[in-house]
C-alpha cells in the first residue's frame, strides 16, 4: 500500500514538473522560433534543402522569401559558415602535408568563395526563376564579395602547403577573366588553378562535369583531401576526395 502511494506521488510530481517545464520553455522561446505555421514550414523546408531531402527545386517557396532573407542577412548564415569552417580547419590541422606538392583541396567559387547575395537579393532571395542572362551580366561586373570565413580557410590551406583548385561551373569563354579578376580583388591569391566550364562540358550536369575535373586531377597524381561547395552537386559523383563539406545555400539549386 505504501509503495503504491509513493508511486502515485512520484507520478503527480512528474506531471507537475512537466507542466511547469513546458510553460517555461514556451515563455522563453528564442527570437527565431516560428510564430505561425508558415514560419515553421519555412524552417522545415530549409532543413529539407540542406539535408538534400528536397531536390530539383526551381524557386524558393513564395511564403519563404522573408525567411531566407533573414537567414542570409541577419547573422545565422554567417554563424553557420563560421562553424563549418572551424571544423574544416580542425580537420586540416590533423593532416600531414607531404613535400611532393600533390596534396590538394577543391573549392567551388559561387557562394563558396565569393557571394552572390546582392544579386539574389534583387531576385527576392531565390523566389524568382533563375535568369542566366541576368546572372551573366552580374558576374561580368566582378563585384562579388569574398565570403570571409572561406577566405580564412583558403589562406590557411595555402599556408599549410596544399594546392588549392577553384572549380566553377561558370563559362570559361565569357566569364573567365572577370572571375579571375574578381577572385584576385577579393584576396584569393596563390591558388594552383582556376578551372571553368569549357565548351567540352556544355550541357553536362554539374555532377558529371566536376567529377571529370576531379578525375583528371587524381590522374595527375593529386591527393584530394577536401572538397567544399554550397551545392550537393559540387560534392557528389566520383573522386570526391577524403572529405566533403557542404555550405548552406537556400537561394538556389544546381543539379
Amino acid at each position: 500500500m505504501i509503495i503504491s502511494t509513493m508511486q502515485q506521488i512520484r507520478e503527480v510530481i512528474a506531471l507537475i514538473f512537466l507542466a511547469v517545464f513546458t510553460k517555461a520553455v514556451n515563455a522563453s522561446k528564442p527570437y527565431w522560433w516560428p510564430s505561425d505555421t508558415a514560419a515553421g514550414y519555412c524552417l522545415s523546408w530549409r532543413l529539407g534543402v540542406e539535408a538534400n531531402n528536397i531536390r530539383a527545386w526551381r524557386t524558393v517557396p513564395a511564403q519563404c522569401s522573408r525567411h531566407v532573407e533573414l537567414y542570409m542577412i541577419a547573422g545565422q548564415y554567417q554563424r553557420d559558415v563560421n562553424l563549418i569552417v572551424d571544423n574544416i580547419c580542425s580537420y586540416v590541422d590533423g593532416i600531414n602535408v607531404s613535400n611532393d606538392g600533390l596534396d590538394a583541396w577543391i573549392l567551388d567559387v559561387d557562394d563558396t568563395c565569393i557571394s552572390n547575395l546582392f544579386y539574389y537579393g534583387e531576385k527576392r532571395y531565390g523566389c524568382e526563376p533563375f535568369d542566366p542572362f541576368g546572372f551573366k551580366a552580374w558576374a561580368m561586373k566582378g563585384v562579388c564579395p569574398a565570403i570571409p570565413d572561406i577566405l580564412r580557410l583558403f589562406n590557411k590551406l595555402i599556408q599549410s602547403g596544399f594546392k588549392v583548385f577553384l572549380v566553377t561551373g561558370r563559362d570559361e569563354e565569357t566569364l573567365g577573366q572577370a572571375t579571375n579578376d574578381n577572385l584576385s580583388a577579393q584576396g584569393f591569391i596563390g591558388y594552383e588553378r582556376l578551372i571553368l566550364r569549357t565548351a567540352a562540358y556544355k550541357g553536362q550536369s554539374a555532377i558529371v562535369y566536376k567529377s571529370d575535373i576531379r578525375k583528371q586531377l587524381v590522374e595527375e597524381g593529386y591527393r584530394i583531401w577536401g572538397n567544399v561547395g554550397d551545392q550537393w552537386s559540387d560534392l557528389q559523383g566520383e573522386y570526391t576526395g577524403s572529405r566533403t563539406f557542404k555550405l548552406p545555400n537556400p537561394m538556389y539549386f544546381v543539379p
Side-chain angles (χ1 to χ4, degrees):
M1 180 67 69
I2 294 176
I3 294 175
S4 178
T5 302
M6 291 299 295
Q7 179 65 28
Q8 291 174 350
I9 293 173
R10 283 195 292 267
E11 290 176 357
V12 170
I13 292 173
L15 289 172
I16 293 173
F17 174 79
L18 180 60
V20 172
F21 177 77
T22 302
K23 182 178 180 180
V25 169
N26 288 335
S28 60
K29 290 176 180 176
Y31 72 93
W32 48 263
W33 194 275
S35 58
D36 53 42
T37 302
Y41 168 78
C42 293
L43 274 173
S44 298
W45 177 83
R46 182 162 56 83
L47 174 62
V49 164
E50 294 303 341
N52 203 31
N53 292 323
I54 300 175
R55 304 179 183 182
W57 51 279
R58 297 180 62 83
T59 59
V60 172
Q63 67 268 40
C64 296
S65 175
R66 181 62 173 164
H67 171 86
V68 173
E69 177 184 9
L70 290 175
Y71 172 73
M72 294 300 300
I73 70 174
Q76 191 58 52
Y77 168 78
Q78 290 81 0
R79 285 188 287 270
D80 288 349
V81 173
N82 179 264
L83 178 67
I84 294 167
V85 170
D86 282 349
N87 279 271
I88 298 175
C89 289
S90 295
Y91 168 64
V92 170
D93 288 338
I95 299 173
N96 293 319
V97 180
S98 68
N99 58 8
D100 62 5
L102 294 174
D103 292 310
W105 267 81
I106 293 177
L107 301 178
D108 173 52
V109 173
D110 283 301
D111 295 297
T112 298
C113 290
I114 52 178
S115 173
N116 295 298
L117 182 61
F118 295 138
Y119 171 79
Y120 279 97
E122 297 297 320
K123 303 296 181 181
R124 295 169 51 225
Y125 297 92
C127 285
E128 298 180 14
F130 179 68
D131 173 12
F133 299 104
F135 181 80
K136 178 182 174 182
W138 156 259
M140 285 291 292
K141 296 178 181 179
V143 294
C144 298
I147 295 177
D149 282 301
I150 299 300
L151 182 58
R152 168 168 67 94
L153 171 63
F154 173 84
N155 288 327
K156 180 179 180 65
L157 292 170
I158 297 296
Q159 294 164 9
S160 298
F162 289 95
K163 301 298 183 182
V164 178
F165 294 86
L166 307 183
V167 183
T168 174
R170 290 188 177 195
D171 177 68
E172 181 178 56
E173 182 178 359
T174 58
L175 293 177
Q177 190 61 53
T179 303
N180 180 75
D181 293 346
N182 193 163
L183 288 163
S184 296
Q186 292 300 315
F188 289 93
I189 299 170
Y191 53 80
E192 185 69 11
R193 202 180 307 167
L194 170 62
I195 302 173
L196 300 100
R197 188 187 289 260
T198 62
Y201 295 104
K202 185 177 181 180
Q204 291 189 353
S205 70
I207 295 176
V208 172
Y209 157 59
K210 293 197 172 185
S211 289
D212 194 58
I213 295 299
R214 294 190 298 262
K215 178 183 178 182
Q216 292 176 35
L217 294 177
V218 170
E219 290 175 345
E220 290 178 30
Y222 288 102
R223 297 176 292 273
I224 302 174
W225 285 97
N227 183 7
V228 183
D230 67 294
Q231 299 291 316
W232 280 103
S233 54
D234 297 328
L235 312 174
Q236 295 173 323
E238 298 182 288
Y239 304 92
T240 55
S242 298
R243 283 198 63 178
T244 60
F245 299 89
K246 170 72 168 64
L247 300 183
N249 185 352
M251 297 186 296
Y252 58 88
F253 178 91
V254 176

